[in-house]
Amino acid sequence: MHRHAPCPLAHLWLGLGLCSACAAPPTTTRCTDTPPAAVTNAAQARDAAEDPAARITTGAPLPADAGVPAPPGEQRWLASDPHVPFFSLRPDEDGGSRIHAHEPEDCTGWAVPGSRWHAVGRHGALVGAFVLTGGEGYDVTNCYELGFERESGELGSGLLVTGAYQAPARSLAWTPSAAERTALAGRVAEIDGLFEVPAHADPPPALAERSLAFVRADIEGEREGDSTRWIAVGGRWFGLFSLEPERADPAPRWRLRYLDAELAVHGFVPPMAYTPLAAIDADGDGDPELVVHRSDGPSWDDLLLIPGGTSYDEGPMSTGGATI
């Protein structure tokens, strides 16, 4: 949870009625003076390589003997663009599994030439197979941006995984009705209108192109009487909404659960500073994690959101990419 002050968004929930259906403000409201996450990632990766021998120079080819295959039970995930380490999921002592952030050494350790990776679709399905053919170093991130050859299928969301991942046993997708889409469009327009955008700036794409509808599980009854139908919306801000269960009022009602407008308050950003990429179920518990692509223009990364009760919590972020 991130709550920083002062923050011009702090008064929105009641003053502008954006969360009129909420008992409390959305879990995450980010509004800081810190650099964009991808720039911070790049600086941390660069500073992590204190040993000059560990420095990766721009354009350097991936060593032919790089990497070690994933051990049994481990999943390794690469970000969508560029293909760099994102997160892993490894067995724990209790017989379950745990999500781990990538480490600086994974830039080489995961890059096994000839290894087979699977492309993941927007709702966690395996949609393609790719073989790692090499990589090129980038000194800003001190990492290799990996290259692949398509073996079959398509790239899907852009995410790649190798190891023990299994696609969700049940579909994570659902389709809002026309009335539900109309109600959501109204909420989205309210939030879009909060941010000053230059007159010449491109508008965000249509709602259908900037959103991802997904189904959450009701694990151990923690959402009893609450909705399992959610939708992620990207643009100059990122939000998660849940569709309220049917009630006496037949009009669809959306509850704002999560809002990240950190990039929007830094000034002009691309129309799709935040893009919901995929709902996956890496840990196999039936309640999907979400992957969001973030970009301020010159830098970008992928962020994993992990389900937590009635909202989501921030998890690992990818090494990222940049043109700085």
Side-chain angles (χ1 to χ4, degrees):
M1 179 181 296
H2 299 263
R3 299 191 188 280
H4 304 274
C7 177
L9 295 179
H11 68 285
L12 296 181
W13 320 121
L14 296 179
L16 294 177
L18 286 180
C19 206
S20 58
C22 297
T27 299
T28 299
T29 305
R30 306 204 320 164
C31 177
T32 73
D33 294 325
T34 57
V39 175
T40 303
N41 289 350
Q44 290 174 343
R46 182 182 56 217
D47 295 342
E50 298 177 357
D51 181 1
R55 297 286 299 124
I56 296 174
T57 58
T58 296
L62 178 71
D65 60 350
V68 177
E74 180 176 305
Q75 301 174 29
R76 293 174 176 175
W77 289 77
L78 298 179
S80 61
D81 176 27
H83 295 311
V84 291
F86 188 2
F87 69 93
S88 65
L89 191 141
R90 301 195 291 269
D92 58 26
E93 297 177 352
D94 299 327
S97 55
R98 188 178 299 274
I99 291 172
H100 297 267
H102 68 85
E103 300 290 344
E105 58 267 25
D106 295 335
C107 281
T108 301
W110 291 6
V112 182
S115 57
R116 196 164 184 261
W117 295 71
H118 294 281
V120 179
R122 298 196 76 203
H123 290 95
L126 298 177
V127 297
F130 292 77
V131 175
L132 196 157
T133 56
E136 184 174 292
Y138 188 35
D139 62 357
V140 173
T141 58
N142 199 53
C143 201
Y144 292 101
E145 298 181 353
L146 301 178
F148 292 83
E149 181 177 295
R150 185 172 68 89
E151 191 175 74
S152 63
E154 59 186 30
L155 191 55
S157 66
L159 299 169
L160 294 171
V161 62
T162 192
Y165 175 72
Q166 294 185 349
R170 65 176 180 88
S171 175
L172 300 179
W174 73 282
T175 303
S177 68
E180 291 162 352
R181 290 195 299 270
T182 298
L184 178 63
R187 301 298 305 280
V188 170
E190 285 183 275
I191 304 177
D192 280 342
L194 297 174
F195 304 103
E196 294 184 8
V197 179
H200 63 275
D202 293 331
L207 181 58
E209 299 175 32
R210 59 189 282 201
S211 60
L212 175 68
F214 62 98
V215 179
R216 293 194 65 181
D218 188 9
I219 298 176
E220 298 179 350
E222 67 179 12
R223 274 184 293 285
E224 184 176 355
D226 200 0
S227 178
T228 59
R229 292 182 292 172
W230 287 51
I231 196 163
V233 178
R236 290 188 168 91
W237 51 273
F238 177 80
L240 291 175
F241 299 82
S242 66
L243 182 65
E244 292 298 280
E246 294 182 6
R247 54 184 73 203
D249 180 1
R253 298 184 67 187
W254 292 92
R255 177 180 292 188
L256 179 61
R257 298 285 196 169
Y258 178 106
L259 178 65
D260 182 349
E262 180 178 11
L263 294 180
V265 298
H266 276 283
F268 177 67
V269 293
M272 287 303 293
Y274 300 86
T275 302
L277 287 182
I280 61 176
D281 187 14
D283 59 9
D285 68 355
D287 204 13
E289 300 84 24
L290 293 179
V291 179
V292 183
H293 184 73
R294 306 181 295 183
S295 172
D296 66 353
S299 59
W300 53 90
D301 66 3
D302 287 348
L303 170 69
L304 185 70
L305 295 179
I306 299 173
T310 59
S311 189
Y312 275 74
D313 300 314
E314 288 191 9
M317 60 186 71
S318 71
T319 299
T323 56
I324 55 178

